[in-house]
Amino acid sequence: DGGITQSPKYLFRKEGQNVTLSCEQNLNHDAMYWYRQDPGQGLRLIYYSQIVNDFQKGDIAEGYSVSREKKESFPLTVTSAQKNPTAFYLCASSWFETGVAEQYFGPGTRLTVT
Amino acid sequence: EDKVVQSPLSLVVHEGDTVTLNCSYEVTNFRSLLWYKQEKKAPTFLFMLTSSGIEKKSGRLSSILDKKELFSILNITATQTGDSAIYLCAVGISNFGNEKLTFGTGTRLTIIP
């Protein structure tokens, strides 16, 4: 079964703790993306990576970090520096080609920080 | 700053009605415009548009892009309760070889039986 998996589905953390969200894909896609979605808002881009060992900041990268050591995996760490981390986090992947390819989304992780 | 604006923000109609959702954009280095449907969790892909004036159709859904006036519309005819969802518009942008999507805030569509 090809697709994108995110784990866990729900995550609860105390303020001040770092937390890492997992994203794995077996679609052989080159590019991977992390978005954040808040109630009543669209998706906002946190980080993206078009090739292994390289990534770029999106529009709201402050307080987050990523790594891309393998093509299949793009974990996101929400650090204690992120002021308002409670949100729904979506990971996506796509082919990397000129013209911006369609992105496929994982099921998301809902993070609650108290 | 790249901007994608969707309207209306929210729409409630009766089953069988036809709806038109709007998406306007102001971006540099436009590459494509995409529509997604989001029901509970993951957005699912509907259409990708790159050329003006060419309608894309899938069943009761259709979409068209106007690159001169910088907008797109998504039409849904003979709506059903299963069409209730958030519809997201995203614009693909290329910036020095970095390709990414910028999303609008979405239109929440509710179909009343």
Side-chain angles (χ1 to χ4, degrees), chain B residues 5-111:
Chain B
V5 177
Q6 291 187 247
S7 64
L9 292 181
S10 178
L11 187 56
V12 181
V13 300
H14 286 97
E15 204 166 16
D17 288 351
T18 292
V19 298
T20 298
L21 310 184
N22 304 291
C23 176
S24 63
Y25 60 91
E26 276 180 51
V27 303
T28 51
N29 298 317
F30 173 93
R31 290 293 195 184
S32 55
L33 188 142
L34 293 84
W35 285 97
Y36 285 86
K37 177 182 181 182
Q38 185 179 26
E39 292 179 81
K40 293 257 189 297
K41 294 175 184 173
T44 53
F45 172 77
L46 295 174
F47 298 111
M48 181 159 73
L49 305 151
T50 54
S51 302
S52 260
I54 298 173
E55 187 184 52
K56 292 222 172 174
K57 223 171 147 51
S58 175
R60 296 176 293 104
L61 278 66
S62 64
S63 183
I64 197 159
L65 173 66
D66 185 329
K67 286 166 78 172
K68 188 178 169 198
E69 300 297 329
L70 308 182
F71 77 92
S72 172
I73 59 171
L74 175 69
N75 275 323
I76 309 175
T77 59
T79 51
Q80 301 170 357
T81 53
D83 295 326
S84 294
I86 296 172
Y87 289 84
L88 295 165
C89 171
V91 173
I93 296 158
S94 179
N95 189 14
F96 299 104
N98 292 324
E99 313 277 344
K100 61 177 188 172
L101 295 179
T102 295
F103 281 81
T105 52
T107 293
R108 181 179 291 276
L109 176 63
T110 303
I111 310 297

Side-chain angles (χ1 to χ4, degrees), chain A residues 9 33 35 37 41-43 45 48 50 56 59 90 96 99-100 102-103 105-107, chain B residues 31-32 34 36 38 41-43 45 48 88 92-93 97-101 103-105:
Chain A
K9 201 185 286 190
Y33 309 81
Y35 295 92
Q37 187 174 32
Q41 297 207 29
L43 278 61
L45 183 63
Y48 61 111
Q50 292 173 149
Q56 286 76 41
D59 302 315
L90 283 160
F96 175 40
V100 185
E102 162 199 349
Q103 292 181 14
F105 285 85
Chain B
R31 290 293 195 184
S32 55
L34 293 84
Y36 285 86
Q38 185 179 26
K41 294 175 184 173
F45 172 77
M48 181 159 73
L88 295 165
I93 296 158
N98 292 324
E99 313 277 344
K100 61 177 188 172
L101 295 179
F103 281 81
T105 52

